[in-house]
Amino acid sequence: MDSLSNSTTPCGFLLQGFFEFPHLRPLLFLVLLAVHLTTLSGNLLILVAVVSVPSRPPMLLFLCQLSAIELCYTLVVVPRSLADLSIPGHGRGSPISFLGCAVQMQMFVALGGAECFLLAAMAYDRYVAICHPLRYASIVTPGLCARLALACCLGGLAVSVGLTVAVFHLPFCGSCLLVHFFCDITALLHLACTRSYVDELPLLGACLVLLLLPSMLILTSYGAIASALRRLHGGGGRRKAASTCASHLAVTFLHYGCATFMYVRPKSSYSPRLDRTLALVYTNVTPLLYPLIYSLRNREITSAIHRVLGLRASGSV
């Protein structure tokens, strides 16, 4: 008990992963491997499809960046998890260095934050397309898309660096066993020897910047879109305009819903094993759903994918 009460600065952590379920690990490995390969294939297909389009509208450029973020997002977490699942034995966990854990957390937060900002930029794109269709080409230019894409990445990077520095300056207790399969923020805060809510302020600040600010921009954009749709007299035009937003809304609800449920709550409500299970879903299942949502709902993506698959099929004959 004394060792648990002493604060330490560890040279590394142990990722428990799913080592306590030795009989379940082979099946989990096969399922995660299949999901991971499908996710990589879907996002790569969207990237190739967008690149193959001769003249790419702004929404396709945003979708290309979203697929690139999802590719990197899964590669930060899943390959390491698959490697740990493939390790035989019944140890307590897989070791990861202090620096390696910090880098993994920073990259995970940076990519998730960039996606939050990107979804807000995509909402603005939909707002201009529906509310100002005649000025769309002059407002949403390729130059603006490039600047927004860069701002999304830099914003996510800045917040992630600040949050990582704040978390890894906290003292950690005991054996440094993380009940998780990657270095997630909640798992690290659960291990930290903190007694007050002051140490949780960096996470709260990051949530305000990454979740509240973009969500307010998204709500403002869709409020203006809803107002514009109410002024449309033709039902066909209203349905067509609404259908262009359906994919973006579905992805936005998935991303912000998971992130809000996981990170916008006090440390006292953390449940390591429940958080680990939920993280298994949002790091594997949601990135798998995004390509399906956009390929089924976006006509330009669907036609581009058909074109790529048709070219490959004709080339193989």
Side-chain angles (χ1 to χ4, degrees), residues 17-239:
F18 297 92
F19 276 81
E20 72 268 41
F21 305 110
H23 301 294
L24 182 64
R25 287 170 61 201
L27 176 61
L28 188 59
F29 173 83
L30 293 175
V31 171
L32 290 185
L33 179 62
V35 171
H36 183 54
L37 293 177
T38 306
T39 301
L40 292 180
S41 301
N43 284 291
L44 281 173
L45 183 59
I46 288 181
L47 284 173
V48 174
V50 171
V51 171
S52 69
V53 176
S55 58
R56 292 180 285 277
M59 179 52 80
L60 287 191
L61 296 176
F62 289 134
L63 288 179
C64 186
Q65 185 183 5
L66 181 64
S67 291
I69 289 175
E70 289 301 321
L71 273 174
C72 299
Y73 189 77
T74 55
L75 289 173
V76 166
V77 174
V78 181
R80 164 84 196 215
S81 303
L82 290 172
D84 291 342
L85 285 171
S86 66
I87 297 174
H90 303 275
R92 296 183 62 206
S94 172
I96 184 171
S97 68
F98 191 79
L99 178 60
C101 190
V103 170
Q104 187 184 51
M105 178 191 143
Q106 185 272 323
M107 294 181 67
F108 183 80
V109 175
L111 291 165
E115 186 168 338
C116 288
F117 292 131
L118 181 62
L119 290 172
M122 294 170 75
Y124 173 74
D125 173 81
R126 292 298 84 201
Y127 157 74
V128 177
I130 294 174
C131 298
H132 305 282
L134 299 180
R135 299 172 55 200
Y136 179 76
S138 61
I139 295 176
V140 187
T141 62
L144 177 64
C145 293
R147 290 192 295 272
L148 287 175
L150 180 61
C152 292
C153 294
L154 292 178
L157 178 63
V159 174
S160 68
V161 170
L163 182 59
T164 303
V165 170
V167 169
F168 279 85
H169 268 83
L170 297 175
F172 294 96
C173 300
S175 62
C176 298
L177 178 67
L178 291 174
V179 185
H180 217 299
F181 57 91
F182 74 100
C183 291
D184 199 11
I185 309 166
T186 56
L188 288 163
L189 286 178
H190 184 78
L191 200 63
C193 307
T194 56
R195 292 289 184 268
S196 68
Y197 290 103
V198 175
D199 297 306
E200 299 177 47
L201 290 179
L203 177 58
L204 178 61
C207 289
L208 289 175
V209 175
L210 297 181
L211 297 178
L212 183 60
L213 179 60
S215 64
M216 292 301 294
L217 295 174
I218 292 171
L219 288 175
T220 302
S221 297
Y222 276 104
I225 289 172
S227 177
L229 291 180
R230 282 199 302 268
R231 293 194 297 268
L232 289 178
H233 298 291
R238 187 182 293 114
R239 284 192 297 271

Side-chain angles (χ1 to χ4, degrees), residues 1 4 46 62 93 98 129 145 192 200 224 240 287-288 300 307 317:
M1 294 295 292
L4 291 174
I46 288 181
F62 289 134
F98 191 79
C145 293
E200 299 177 47
K240 181 179 179 181
L288 173 67
E300 293 171 326
R307 189 182 304 112
V317 174

